[in-house]
Amino acid sequence: MVRVTVWNEFRHERESDVVAEVYPDGIHAVVADAVAEAGHDIRTATLDEGPDHGLTESVLDDTDVLLWWGHAAHDEVRDEVVERVHDRVLDGTGFIALHSAHYSKIFKRLMGTSCSLKWREAAERERLWVVEPGHPIADGLGEYVELPETEMYGERFDVPAPDTLVFSSWFEGGEIFRSGCCYRRGSGNVFYFRPGHETYPIYHDEAVQQVLRNAVEWAAPGDGPDPAFGNADPIEEIDTDDDRTVH
Amino acid sequence: MVRVTVWNEFRHERESDVVAEVYPDGIHAVVADAVAEAGHDIRTATLDEGPDHGLTESVLDDTDVLLWWGHAAHDEVRDEVVERVHDRVLDGTGFIALHSAHYSKIFKRLMGTSCSLKWREAAERERLWVVEPGHPIADGLGEYVELPETEMYGERFDVPAPDTLVFSSWFEGGEIFRSGCCYRRGSGNVFYFRPGHETYPIYHDEAVQQVLRNAVEWAAPGDGPDPAFGNADPIEEIDTDDDRTVH
Amino acid sequence: MVRVTVWNEFRHERESDVVAEVYPDGIHAVVADAVAEAGHDIRTATLDEGPDHGLTESVLDDTDVLLWWGHAAHDEVRDEVVERVHDRVLDGTGFIALHSAHYSKIFKRLMGTSCSLKWREAAERERLWVVEPGHPIADGLGEYVELPETEMYGERFDVPAPDTLVFSSWFEGGEIFRSGCCYRRGSGNVFYFRPGHETYPIYHDEAVQQVLRNAVEWAAPGDGPDPAFGNADPIEEIDTDDDRTVH
Amino acid sequence: MVRVTVWNEFRHERESDVVAEVYPDGIHAVVADAVAEAGHDIRTATLDEGPDHGLTESVLDDTDVLLWWGHAAHDEVRDEVVERVHDRVLDGTGFIALHSAHYSKIFKRLMGTSCSLKWREAAERERLWVVEPGHPIADGLGEYVELPETEMYGERFDVPAPDTLVFSSWFEGGEIFRSGCCYRRGSGNVFYFRPGHETYPIYHDEAVQQVLRNAVEWAAPGDGPDPAFGNADPIEEIDTDDDRTVH
């Protein structure tokens, strides 16, 4: 059982009738239900839940994997919370960035690049091809996942080359996109998953839900060593006298 | 011919007799001379050269590859200059981080991780093994580069797994280290090269100088496409009417 | 529960008193016991078990992960069996190459390179540093695994750069080695793990046994799509008339 | 100046009027002319040029980069020649596999996988998107290369994940493909480039020719160390007495 926190900006759903119709209880509710089917321990948090946006140290203490959806209010996420989440990921907390979270402060912080891309809202068809069928995030899927109506994201996607590319998307309008990207940052597993625009019922799709569950299991932290950093005594016997140090 | 700027913190050399003896004109002078041997166009810049630390937009306009040495005053580099250099790297400027620049603001910004490591100043022996003999940064080298006296850096080095690992180091005291790491960030080539402590004559070493020249040529920008980001018209004919947009 | 087959050449143990003292029932017996501790379903197979070397189609049907130890008789493994195992790995069977199996036909077949390296038998000290503490193969370990007496393997190790480098070794005699290397070939997970020379009690070491168990879990196949290859009908409606075909 | 050998099966052009019309002097002639524009030293070789298929030791001695086009007669390439070329690549000769050479003996030998894929001959539109604009193989290109009529190759492409993915293709019929893949095998640089079906004038396309020239420069060998393999004396002083050896 993985302890999962689903974080959502939760603004569109309260401000737009179109979005509210697709996600009446918020995108986080649908994502949480999808992940909960695998028997994990789920909680949610949203931007407007106080100064910590629901992500207090205590909540993060109880979080193995954090999913993140944001779009219009990235700038309202306080830098202190971004650094807090960043520290947790380096320490091993899994992080899953969903769709427009490519532009969230925390994802850009983890990538070190602009995370820019091309986009278009035309309710067009997307086909996510599995390019690594042996990867656990592809468990239970067919050769591709087809979504009838999506917002297009197109290359160039300005991210570091992923450690593993699991999905690559075809779009009706002529673009392609690296749409399922695995990274390790510190001891934390990071997964970017492209689909998820708020005006389309993407997170209601069964295959998309399967990917979310797979990604949570893949991103969950293990029990590896906790590295020691800083000044270190030698392990082998050596002469450590050196009066030239300026550290 | 590559237009190279060698940036140096240039404090130790002015404050410590031990360091001044090794680098009387500054580390940047020795690095610049080493790179200039390949016929490149070299300039230098240092922390205390005004509010831009010598890295004005104009200097960066004339820079294809930027080498960076810093150690004790990382925090004094203004964030605005860090962002300026970061933008340039994403746009294609090559960036070579030397030794203690692992902890510079700009390198941490590009990596997205803590860039922490183990260290020890004991004038111990280091042997940098070439693990990718076919990589251009290994041109002209033997199977390893041996340095008689170095500061030790040991794993865990908290960086993303490099796109290519060129060198891995053996230390007398029992540690190993990924000491030559290639990354691409945006369109820019980034190389981290470990040796270079200020109290040892590392940059006077002929093999180290060869690596610097190789790295400059490898990191120099090409003539690839300049990606367009943002809203994009479809290339194929599709129906673009969709009144659900909330962008 | 993973269905594991431990394959061993099983010659040294029957021909050398020195080796028989360390592994009286064969290396495979000790490796099998170590992996069985995790509750997996274990069987063993050896070179001299008939023309299939114990690796019939039926045995492979019941194998999720295959561990391989060989050294002096690589050439006696029949090519037909090598191809059979190769097909299985591409189809998803996990494969773990142990120590001198770097030179086995099947590992070289999977890598596509010579898999050559430097070696020395001097009972010297090895320290395997964990360079990716967040990787599941490092679960339950400290920052390094120290082995008091090992055969040295040194770089250049002529393999493709691993998808993930988990361990890198320090040797007393001055070399380093990429000693824990993850690959994906087809749908199969492949792990190379360096320690294991027959004259030293390497597989009796508790940390080494932990790595074996971790590697088995990591290498176990998932439930991803089974790709279709060959001629394919279009998914989108296009004109497929083209009389120029020469296929 | 790079010494380039363009190898071609050269059967379709002599047996099919359709192909002969596109490539009257053979595919190799057009590829050779395209590469020669960069001032390189070019020769060609074909399957039916004697038992070595034109690839004698002497020709390979004078070859820095070898381009390979084959389709219908992969099996007629003698294994001895395949091993000869394989040895050369590991020693540093660059290798560029074109289109249907994905199924050549030498490419499969280098990859260690089946290299299978989906295909369709329907003269459909392909758009190769540059996903790494900073890579030298993308020099001089726009954001994508569009080819009006191509044979489709679709994922899953059963190759190891490339060290660098430069191009990813969109196809009219709904598929995507990793169409520009960089690998290093031994000291040799290997590039797979997808377009090139014999019935379409692909190698007459200016952007495709630019990629060929770029790939030749990228794949050209450097001057790195020539690794020594086998038994090695220690570099550090250690006790090398160990009477347990069974090597």
Side-chain angles (χ1 to χ4, degrees):
Chain A
M1 201 182 66
V2 183
R3 298 168 306 163
V4 179
T5 299
V6 180
W7 190 90
N8 183 15
E9 190 178 284
F10 197 31
R11 290 273 178 85
H12 290 309
E13 302 94 323
R14 294 184 290 149
E15 292 166 7
S16 155
D17 289 348
V18 170
V19 180
E21 199 168 319
V22 185
Y23 296 108
D25 301 317
I27 285 173
H28 54 292
V30 176
V31 169
D33 283 355
V35 175
E37 274 186 37
H40 300 307
D41 177 18
I42 319 282
R43 70 171 73 203
T44 63
T46 58
L47 180 64
D48 294 321
E49 289 179 28
D52 295 297
H53 318 305
L55 296 174
T56 59
E57 295 284 7
S58 154
V59 165
L60 293 174
D61 282 345
D62 289 339
T63 300
D64 295 319
V65 176
L66 176 62
L67 294 99
W68 193 280
W69 198 99
H71 181 210
H74 294 314
D75 285 349
E76 296 182 40
V77 178
R78 287 195 308 120
D79 289 343
E80 190 189 325
V81 175
V82 173
E83 288 309 299
R84 187 185 298 165
V85 171
H86 186 256
D87 287 349
R88 294 293 178 138
V89 173
L90 298 191
D91 280 351
T93 301
F95 184 80
I96 299 171
L98 298 169
H99 187 61
S100 42
H102 76 92
Y103 245 21
S104 62
K105 284 182 178 180
I106 175 64
F107 187 65
K108 291 196 287 187
R109 177 81 175 84
L110 285 161
M111 295 293 105
T113 57
S114 75
C115 301
S116 295
L117 45 75
K118 292 184 174 62
W119 60 270
R120 176 174 60 241
E121 285 185 288
E124 70 199 271
R125 191 156 53 257
E126 173 180 12
R127 191 171 294 111
L128 295 104
W129 286 91
V130 175
V131 294
E132 285 297 350
H135 195 279
I137 292 182
D139 273 4
L141 301 180
E143 284 203 78
Y144 58 82
V145 174
E146 191 170 305
L147 299 170
E149 294 190 319
T150 59
E151 179 186 18
M152 184 283 293
Y153 279 5
E155 299 279 350
R156 159 66 173 181
F157 184 20
D158 181 25
V159 286
D163 296 338
T164 310
L165 177 67
V166 181
F167 302 110
S168 199
S169 283
W170 177 99
F171 288 96
E172 211 180 338
E175 289 86 359
I176 59 104
F177 196 76
R178 291 169 293 171
S179 49
C181 297
C182 297
Y183 299 91
R184 185 172 291 112
R185 289 296 179 265
S187 292
N189 295 309
V190 176
F191 184 60
Y192 174 76
F193 188 50
R194 198 211 78 81
H197 196 54
E198 67 273 4
T199 56
Y200 313 118
I202 304 290
Y203 296 119
H204 294 281
D205 181 275
E206 182 47 41
V208 167
Q209 294 191 355
Q210 180 66 39
V211 172
L212 296 177
R213 285 187 292 269
N214 292 345
V216 162
E217 296 207 9
W218 171 82
D223 179 32
D226 196 14
F229 297 120
N231 193 229
D233 287 331
I235 304 169
E236 302 291 317
E237 255 182 73
I238 60 168
D239 172 15
T240 56
D241 273 356
D242 186 40
D243 55 8
R244 287 169 292 182
T245 178
V246 300
H247 251 121
Chain B
M1 202 182 65
V2 182
R3 297 170 305 163
V4 179
T5 299
V6 181
W7 190 90
N8 183 15
E9 191 178 285
F10 197 31
R11 290 274 178 87
H12 289 310
E13 301 95 322
R14 294 185 290 151
E15 291 167 8
S16 155
D17 289 346
V18 170
V19 179
E21 198 168 320
V22 185
Y23 296 107
D25 301 318
I27 284 173
H28 53 293
V30 175
V31 169
D33 283 354
V35 175
E37 273 187 36
H40 300 308
D41 177 18
I42 318 283
R43 72 171 73 205
T44 64
T46 60
L47 180 63
D48 295 321
E49 290 178 27
D52 294 298
H53 317 306
L55 297 173
T56 59
E57 296 284 6
S58 155
V59 165
L60 293 173
D61 282 346
D62 289 339
T63 300
D64 295 318
V65 177
L66 176 62
L67 295 99
W68 193 280
W69 197 98
H71 181 208
H74 293 315
D75 285 350
E76 295 181 41
V77 178
R78 288 195 308 120
D79 289 343
E80 190 190 325
V81 176
V82 173
E83 288 310 298
R84 186 185 299 165
V85 172
H86 185 254
D87 286 351
R88 295 292 178 137
V89 173
L90 298 190
D91 280 352
T93 301
F95 184 81
I96 300 172
L98 298 170
H99 187 62
S100 42
H102 76 92
Y103 245 21
S104 62
K105 285 182 177 179
I106 176 63
F107 187 66
K108 292 196 288 186
R109 177 81 174 83
L110 285 162
M111 294 294 105
T113 58
S114 75
C115 302
S116 295
L117 45 75
K118 293 184 174 62
W119 60 270
R120 178 174 59 241
E121 284 183 289
E124 69 199 272
R125 190 155 52 256
E126 174 180 11
R127 191 172 294 110
L128 295 103
W129 285 92
V130 175
V131 296
E132 286 297 352
H135 195 279
I137 292 182
D139 274 3
L141 301 179
E143 284 203 79
Y144 57 81
V145 174
E146 192 170 308
L147 298 170
E149 295 191 318
T150 60
E151 180 186 17
M152 185 281 295
Y153 279 6
E155 298 280 348
R156 161 63 171 178
F157 182 22
D158 181 28
V159 285
D163 295 339
T164 311
L165 177 66
V166 181
F167 302 110
S168 199
S169 284
W170 178 99
F171 288 96
E172 210 179 338
E175 289 86 0
I176 58 104
F177 196 76
R178 290 170 293 170
S179 47
C181 298
C182 297
Y183 299 91
R184 186 172 289 111
R185 289 296 179 266
S187 292
N189 295 310
V190 176
F191 184 60
Y192 174 77
F193 188 49
R194 198 212 78 79
H197 197 53
E198 66 274 3
T199 57
Y200 312 117
I202 304 291
Y203 297 119
H204 294 281
D205 182 275
E206 180 48 41
V208 167
Q209 294 192 355
Q210 179 67 40
V211 172
L212 296 177
R213 285 187 292 268
N214 292 345
V216 162
E217 296 206 9
W218 171 82
D223 179 32
D226 195 15
F229 297 120
N231 194 230
D233 286 332
I235 305 169
E236 302 290 317
E237 255 182 74
I238 61 169
D239 171 16
T240 57
D241 273 355
D242 185 41
D243 55 8
R244 288 169 292 182
T245 179
V246 301
H247 250 122
Chain C
M1 200 183 64
V2 183
R3 298 168 307 163
V4 178
T5 299
V6 180
W7 190 90
N8 183 16
E9 191 178 283
F10 196 32
R11 290 273 178 87
H12 290 311
E13 301 95 322
R14 293 184 291 150
E15 292 166 6
S16 155
D17 289 348
V18 169
V19 179
E21 199 169 317
V22 185
Y23 296 107
D25 301 317
I27 284 173
H28 53 292
V30 175
V31 169
D33 283 355
V35 175
E37 273 186 37
H40 300 308
D41 177 19
I42 319 283
R43 70 171 72 204
T44 63
T46 59
L47 179 64
D48 295 321
E49 289 179 26
D52 295 299
H53 318 306
L55 297 174
T56 58
E57 296 284 7
S58 154
V59 166
L60 293 174
D61 282 347
D62 290 340
T63 301
D64 295 319
V65 176
L66 176 62
L67 295 100
W68 194 280
W69 197 99
H71 180 210
H74 293 315
D75 284 350
E76 296 182 40
V77 178
R78 288 195 310 119
D79 289 343
E80 189 190 325
V81 176
V82 173
E83 288 310 297
R84 186 185 298 164
V85 172
H86 185 256
D87 286 351
R88 294 295 178 134
V89 173
L90 298 191
D91 279 353
T93 301
F95 184 81
I96 300 172
L98 297 170
H99 187 61
S100 41
H102 76 91
Y103 244 22
S104 61
K105 285 181 176 179
I106 176 63
F107 186 66
K108 291 196 288 186
R109 176 81 174 83
L110 285 161
M111 295 294 105
T113 57
S114 75
C115 301
S116 295
L117 45 75
K118 291 184 175 63
W119 61 269
R120 177 174 60 241
E121 285 184 288
E124 69 199 271
R125 191 156 51 257
E126 174 179 10
R127 191 171 293 111
L128 295 104
W129 285 92
V130 175
V131 295
E132 285 297 351
H135 194 279
I137 292 183
D139 273 4
L141 301 179
E143 283 202 79
Y144 58 82
V145 174
E146 191 170 307
L147 298 171
E149 294 191 319
T150 59
E151 179 186 18
M152 183 282 295
Y153 278 6
E155 297 281 348
R156 160 66 172 179
F157 183 21
D158 181 26
V159 286
D163 296 338
T164 311
L165 177 66
V166 182
F167 302 111
S168 200
S169 284
W170 176 100
F171 288 96
E172 210 180 337
E175 289 85 0
I176 59 103
F177 196 77
R178 289 169 294 170
S179 48
C181 297
C182 296
Y183 299 92
R184 186 171 290 112
R185 288 296 179 268
S187 292
N189 295 309
V190 176
F191 184 60
Y192 174 77
F193 188 49
R194 199 211 77 80
H197 197 53
E198 66 274 3
T199 56
Y200 312 119
I202 304 290
Y203 297 119
H204 294 281
D205 181 275
E206 181 48 40
V208 166
Q209 294 192 354
Q210 180 66 41
V211 172
L212 296 176
R213 286 187 291 269
N214 292 346
V216 162
E217 297 207 10
W218 171 82
D223 179 32
D226 196 13
F229 298 119
N231 193 230
D233 287 332
I235 304 169
E236 301 291 316
E237 256 183 73
I238 60 169
D239 172 15
T240 57
D241 273 354
D242 184 41
D243 55 9
R244 286 169 294 182
T245 178
V246 300
H247 249 121
Chain D
M1 201 181 66
V2 183
R3 296 168 307 162
V4 179
T5 299
V6 180
W7 190 91
N8 183 16
E9 191 179 284
F10 196 32
R11 289 273 177 87
H12 289 310
E13 302 94 322
R14 294 183 291 151
E15 293 167 5
S16 156
D17 290 347
V18 170
V19 180
E21 199 168 318
V22 186
Y23 297 107
D25 301 316
I27 285 173
H28 53 293
V30 175
V31 169
D33 283 354
V35 175
E37 273 186 37
H40 300 308
D41 177 19
I42 319 282
R43 70 171 73 204
T44 64
T46 59
L47 180 63
D48 295 321
E49 290 178 27
D52 294 299
H53 318 306
L55 297 174
T56 59
E57 296 284 6
S58 155
V59 165
L60 293 173
D61 282 346
D62 289 339
T63 301
D64 295 320
V65 176
L66 176 62
L67 294 99
W68 194 279
W69 198 98
H71 181 210
H74 294 314
D75 284 349
E76 296 182 40
V77 178
R78 288 195 310 118
D79 289 343
E80 190 190 326
V81 175
V82 173
E83 287 310 298
R84 187 185 297 164
V85 172
H86 185 256
D87 287 351
R88 295 292 178 137
V89 173
L90 298 191
D91 280 352
T93 302
F95 184 81
I96 300 171
L98 298 170
H99 188 60
S100 43
H102 76 92
Y103 245 22
S104 62
K105 285 182 177 180
I106 176 63
F107 187 66
K108 292 196 288 187
R109 177 80 175 84
L110 285 162
M111 294 293 105
T113 57
S114 75
C115 301
S116 295
L117 45 75
K118 293 184 175 61
W119 60 270
R120 178 173 59 241
E121 286 183 288
E124 69 199 273
R125 190 156 53 257
E126 174 180 11
R127 191 171 294 110
L128 296 103
W129 285 91
V130 175
V131 296
E132 286 297 351
H135 195 279
I137 291 182
D139 274 3
L141 302 179
E143 284 203 80
Y144 58 81
V145 174
E146 192 170 306
L147 298 170
E149 295 191 318
T150 59
E151 179 186 17
M152 184 283 294
Y153 279 6
E155 297 281 348
R156 157 67 172 176
F157 183 21
D158 181 26
V159 285
D163 296 338
T164 310
L165 177 66
V166 181
F167 302 110
S168 200
S169 284
W170 177 100
F171 288 96
E172 210 179 337
E175 290 85 0
I176 59 102
F177 196 76
R178 290 169 293 171
S179 49
C181 297
C182 297
Y183 299 92
R184 185 173 290 112
R185 289 295 179 267
S187 292
N189 295 310
V190 176
F191 184 60
Y192 175 76
F193 188 50
R194 199 211 78 79
H197 197 52
E198 66 273 5
T199 57
Y200 313 118
I202 304 291
Y203 297 119
H204 295 281
D205 182 274
E206 181 48 40
V208 166
Q209 294 192 354
Q210 179 67 40
V211 172
L212 295 177
R213 284 187 292 268
N214 292 344
V216 162
E217 296 207 10
W218 171 82
D223 179 32
D226 196 15
F229 297 120
N231 193 231
D233 287 331
I235 303 169
E236 301 291 317
E237 255 182 72
I238 61 168
D239 172 16
T240 57
D241 273 356
D242 185 40
D243 55 8
R244 287 169 291 181
T245 178
V246 301
H247 250 120

